[in-house]
């Protein structure tokens, strides 16, 4: 087979006459600028969401009780978390003396930074760039992602999302460089972090095999990816990928009694929302990445670009098919965001090469001006979105803002701490959100949405109407929740600046048998906006006449 490279040395944004030393200085200056922008933009989105505290609670119990359970000593145990690897890392941090709510943000920010580096290396590899020459234009993927809230928001949040996306990019990088077994090992880590992270990896594999087949028939070589796949290498890669997954699935079935996590059983009904939430989710993602503006780059598209475009399309189709999510900033599409940054940068650099070969004198200035204008527009858009987000509430009437998620968890952490001080350890709660309140209180809790309930998914009918939200389609009845003998019903509770009225307890519960049990907490400092959060009263329902810690003698 004759080898014919498709690559033409691309425009680098530095005049050809520039000395190597000047080029290194220019690259280092650009690198420091991107790093500084990363720190500034990441800090603007600092928050922890309620869902992260679910993982924190499992990690705490694994670290200190030796069991990945939501309620220590419960039976049967239920797997209400998404990422076994994330739980393990958080538990290791807890044993080392770093609490999950401090350790998780450190790991997510580190993962996002590594993801930027991996995206730069991936595009360089796909462009067949020499390992010894670096230019500012090589940083274009990082520049794109640093300016996009859909990437930068998840440097925080406390979820495993950024780690999973970074591992996907690292897997693509290892494969592009021909390290098959190493790529298989990373793919296994992806599956243990987020199983749906295998969707873009599968897309990458299919696209590469198709390109390789076409190149073979034409007698050419791709220039990236494994040169040859021997039987021994394929078997080794399969073993490295499948062995840890097989061990984990067998352990899961033995420990939890199910081949799939309870998160899947609860959230699988989102497929019914694909044409409402799912479609809106995907369209919102594409609009905020300004993908229509990059349509002209399609003219520079070549078959080789499919290796990144197809995984993005497959991931987008998957997010649509499961009904999307109600959190803002496209969490489920983070791998697609990262790979889109790589694909668009690759296309842009190929376009720059094409322009420079035809208009060599004027092209660098025109291209540099265009790059500055696009980057400036992206930063202006990000700042405007960040300002709107600080107002709180819901974005586009569907998606929860970062400020809303932040305030929600901050208030429940404070309420949980006060409950821990006021209530006996054997108190049982029914909650709506299963994260911050149970974690901070340390009390036994079951959520009304079934995430940590081992039986609700089998008996409840999902809501598929217009008001349904992905992941919150199942809701337990009062009769179902009664089997857990709850002391406080917080899932139909109250939060507000004033103490709720007696009649509101009857209206909320539908019975005269319940009264309010409230904790009052002062204004809380808002670390995001520099202001304060009016916490007020957080109230749950208790049976009239029942004494629950210090709540028995409270005004009701």
């Amino acid at each position: 087979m004759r080898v014919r490279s498709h690559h033409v040395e691309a425009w680098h944004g530095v005049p050809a006459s520039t000395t190597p030393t000047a080029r290194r200085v220019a690259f280092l200056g650009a690198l420091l600028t991107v790093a500084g922008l990363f720190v500034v933009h990441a800090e603007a989105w600092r928050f922890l969401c309620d869902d992260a505290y679910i993982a924190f609670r499992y990690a705490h119990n694994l670290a200190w009780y030796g069991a990945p359970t939501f309620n220590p000593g419960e039976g049967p145990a239920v797997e209400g978390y998404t990422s076994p690897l994330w739980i393990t890392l958080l538990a290791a941090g807890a044993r080392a003396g770093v609490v999950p709510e401090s350790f998780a943000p450190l790991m997510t920010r580190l993962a996002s930074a590594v993801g930027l580096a991996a995206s730069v290396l991936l595009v360089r590899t796909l462009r067949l760039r020499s390992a010894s020459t670096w230019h500012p234009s090589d940083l274009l993927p990082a520049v794109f992602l640093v300016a996009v809230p859909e990437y930068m928001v998840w440097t925080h949040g406390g979820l495993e999302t950024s780690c999973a996306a970074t591992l996907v990019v690292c897997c693509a990088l290892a494969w592009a460089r021909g390290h098959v077994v190493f790529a298989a090992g990373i793919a296994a880590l992806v599956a243990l972090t987020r199983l749906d992270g295998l969707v873009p990896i599968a897309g990458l594999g299919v696209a590469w095999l198709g390109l390789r087949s076409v190149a073979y028939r034409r007698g050419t070589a791709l220039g990236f990816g494994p040169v040859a796949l021997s039987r021994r290498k394929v078997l080794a890669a399969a073993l490295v990928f499948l062995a840890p997954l097989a061990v984990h699935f067998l352990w899961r079935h033995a420990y939890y009694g199910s081949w799939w996590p309870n998160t899947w059983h609860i959230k699988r009904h989102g497929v019914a929302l694909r044409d409402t939430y799912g479609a809106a989710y995907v369209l919102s993602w594409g609009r905020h990445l300004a993908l229509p503006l990059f349509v002209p780059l399609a003219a520079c598209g070549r078959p080789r670009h499919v290796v990144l475009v197809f995984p993005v399309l497959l991931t987008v189709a998957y997010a649509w098919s499961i009904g999307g999510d109600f959190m803002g900033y496209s969490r489920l599409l983070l791998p697609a965001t990262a790979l889109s940054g790589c694909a668009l940068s690759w296309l842009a650099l190929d376009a720059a090469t094409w322009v420079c070969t035809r208009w060599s004198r004027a092209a660098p200035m025109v291209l540099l001006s265009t790059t500055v204008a696009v980057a400036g527009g992206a930063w202006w858009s990000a700042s405007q979105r960040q300002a709107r987000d600080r107002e709180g509430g819901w974005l586009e009437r569907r998606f929860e803002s970062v400020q809303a998620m932040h305030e929600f968890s901050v208030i429940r952490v404070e309420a949980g701490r006060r409950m821990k001080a006021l209530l006996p350890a054997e108190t049982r709660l029914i909650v709506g959100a299963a994260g911050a309140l149970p974690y901070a209180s340390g009390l036994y809790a079951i959520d009304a949405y079934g995430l940590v309930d081992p039986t609700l998914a089998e008996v409840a009918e999902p809501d598929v109407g217009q008001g349904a939200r992905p992941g919150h389609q199942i809701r337990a009845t009062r009769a179902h929740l009664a089997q857990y003998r709850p002391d406080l019903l917080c899932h139909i509770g109250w939060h507000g600046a004033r103490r709720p009225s007696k009649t509101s307890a009857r209206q909320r519960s539908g019975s005269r048998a319940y009264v309010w049990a409230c904790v009052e907490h002062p204004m809380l400092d808002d670390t995001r906006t520099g202001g304060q959060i009016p916490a007020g009263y957080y109230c749950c329902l208790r049976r009239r006449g029942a004494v629950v810690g210090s709540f028995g003698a409270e005004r009701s």
Side-chain angles (χ1 to χ4, degrees):
M1 178 190 298
R2 71 181 186 276
V3 177
R4 185 175 70 228
S5 172
H6 59 70
H7 179 67
V8 177
E9 187 66 15
W11 171 75
H12 307 306
V14 177
S17 59
T18 306
T19 64
T21 300
R23 291 186 180 187
R24 283 194 294 269
V25 170
F27 173 76
L28 289 175
L31 180 62
L32 291 174
T33 301
V34 172
L37 293 174
F38 171 78
V39 172
V40 171
H41 200 183
E43 186 64 19
W45 296 107
R46 185 156 50 98
F47 80 110
L48 287 173
C49 68
D50 188 81
D51 281 10
Y53 287 91
I54 300 173
F56 297 171
R57 173 141 164 158
Y58 274 99
H60 174 83
N61 290 338
L62 176 59
W64 301 111
Y65 299 103
T69 59
F70 192 76
N71 294 305
E74 70 179 352
V78 57
E79 187 179 5
Y81 55 90
T82 304
S83 175
L85 183 59
W86 189 242
I87 296 295
T88 303
L89 290 173
L90 291 174
R95 290 296 297 178
V98 186
V99 293
E101 58 267 39
S102 297
F103 191 41
L106 291 176
M107 289 199 294
T108 55
R109 187 173 290 198
L110 176 62
S112 295
V114 172
L116 294 179
S119 68
V120 168
L121 294 173
L122 175 60
V123 174
R124 276 178 58 89
T125 301
L126 295 174
R127 292 172 61 218
L128 309 183
R129 291 275 285 115
S130 170
S132 60
T133 57
W134 283 86
H135 300 275
S137 64
D138 292 324
L139 299 175
L140 190 58
V143 172
F144 177 88
L145 294 175
V146 163
V148 175
E150 272 63 27
Y151 186 85
M152 295 303 297
V153 162
W154 304 110
T155 58
H156 292 287
L159 298 169
E160 74 285 344
T161 313
S162 63
C163 291
T166 293
L167 286 171
V168 168
V169 177
C170 288
C171 182
L173 173 61
W175 185 268
R177 292 190 169 185
H179 305 312
V180 178
V181 178
F182 188 40
I186 298 176
L189 293 178
V190 170
L192 292 173
T193 305
R194 280 194 69 91
L195 195 58
D196 56 10
L198 293 180
V199 172
I201 290 176
L204 172 71
V206 170
W208 183 84
L209 286 173
L211 289 173
R212 189 173 186 272
S213 176
V214 171
Y216 182 82
R217 288 198 299 270
R218 293 179 177 179
T220 62
L222 284 177
F224 56 82
V227 176
L229 289 174
S230 65
R231 182 177 300 178
R232 177 179 296 182
K233 186 174 290 187
V234 170
L235 289 175
L239 180 63
V240 167
F241 174 68
L242 293 174
L245 296 187
V247 170
H248 179 71
F249 270 78
L250 290 171
W251 172 84
R252 170 187 284 149
H253 190 268
Y255 190 80
Y256 292 114
S258 174
W259 293 110
W260 300 101
N262 197 49
T263 51
W264 181 83
H265 294 295
I266 291 296
K267 297 183 178 183
R268 59 191 171 92
H269 305 289
V271 295
L273 307 180
R274 58 178 53 163
D275 294 328
T276 53
Y277 251 96
Y281 192 74
V282 168
L283 290 174
S284 176
W285 172 79
R287 183 170 61 255
H288 288 308
L289 258 64
L291 294 184
L293 296 179
F294 294 95
V295 169
L297 290 179
C300 297
R302 297 293 182 269
R304 61 182 179 270
H305 297 124
V306 173
V307 76
L308 289 184
V309 174
F310 186 68
V312 170
L313 295 177
L314 196 62
T315 305
V316 169
Y318 168 77
W320 165 79
S321 71
I322 63 171
D325 187 23
F326 65 84
M327 289 184 184
Y329 303 98
S330 309
R331 172 177 65 104
L332 299 182
L333 285 168
L334 188 59
T337 299
L339 293 178
S340 292
C342 295
L344 293 173
S345 299
W346 189 9
L347 283 166
L349 290 168
D350 281 0
T353 300
W354 182 84
V355 170
C356 284
T357 57
R358 286 157 178 78
W359 299 285
S360 58
R361 290 187 177 181
M365 184 59 65
V366 171
L367 291 170
L368 184 60
S369 301
T370 302
T371 302
V372 170
V374 171
W379 275 96
W380 180 85
S381 175
S383 66
Q384 292 298 304
R385 293 177 65 194
Q386 206 269 339
R388 287 195 298 270
D389 188 286
R390 284 174 177 257
E391 298 173 2
W394 293 79
L395 307 172
E396 303 172 44
R397 299 183 180 180
R398 287 183 182 271
F399 309 117
E400 196 172 14
S401 66
V402 165
Q403 184 65 23
M405 289 187 274
H406 166 70
E407 292 183 5
F408 186 92
S409 61
V410 166
I411 289 170
R412 279 151 186 79
V413 165
E414 182 63 25
R417 288 172 178 166
R418 291 183 177 265
M419 286 184 176
K420 185 174 185 178
L422 295 171
L423 301 177
E426 63 272 15
T427 303
R428 290 173 165 249
L429 310 177
I430 300 296
V431 297
L437 184 67
Y439 176 77
S441 69
L443 301 173
Y444 180 97
I446 291 291
D447 73 308
Y449 294 115
L451 194 68
V452 297
D453 186 321
T455 61
L456 183 60
E458 302 171 2
V459 300
E461 289 295 326
D463 179 7
V464 295
Q466 287 295 321
R469 292 193 304 177
H472 285 182
Q473 293 169 262
I474 290 179
R475 191 174 178 89
T477 63
R478 185 77 56 80
H480 178 85
L481 295 173
Q483 67 179 306
Y484 296 104
R485 306 185 308 280
D487 298 298
L488 296 174
L489 304 180
C490 301
H491 67 299
I492 49 177
W494 165 275
H495 168 252
R498 298 181 179 181
R499 182 185 291 271
S501 66
K502 296 179 181 179
T503 56
S504 64
R506 183 168 64 250
Q507 293 169 352
R508 196 64 67 93
S509 65
S511 169
R512 293 178 178 273
Y514 288 92
V515 294
W516 291 116
C518 300
V519 292
E520 181 181 2
H521 33 114
M523 300 287 282
L524 303 174
D525 292 334
D526 189 347
T527 56
R528 292 200 71 241
T529 64
Q532 290 188 312
I533 299 173
Y537 292 86
Y538 188 89
C539 306
C540 304
L541 291 168
R542 63 175 174 85
R543 282 198 169 273
R544 187 183 298 274
V547 177
V548 184
S550 62
F551 288 141
E554 275 199 6
R555 240 178 350 118
S556 58

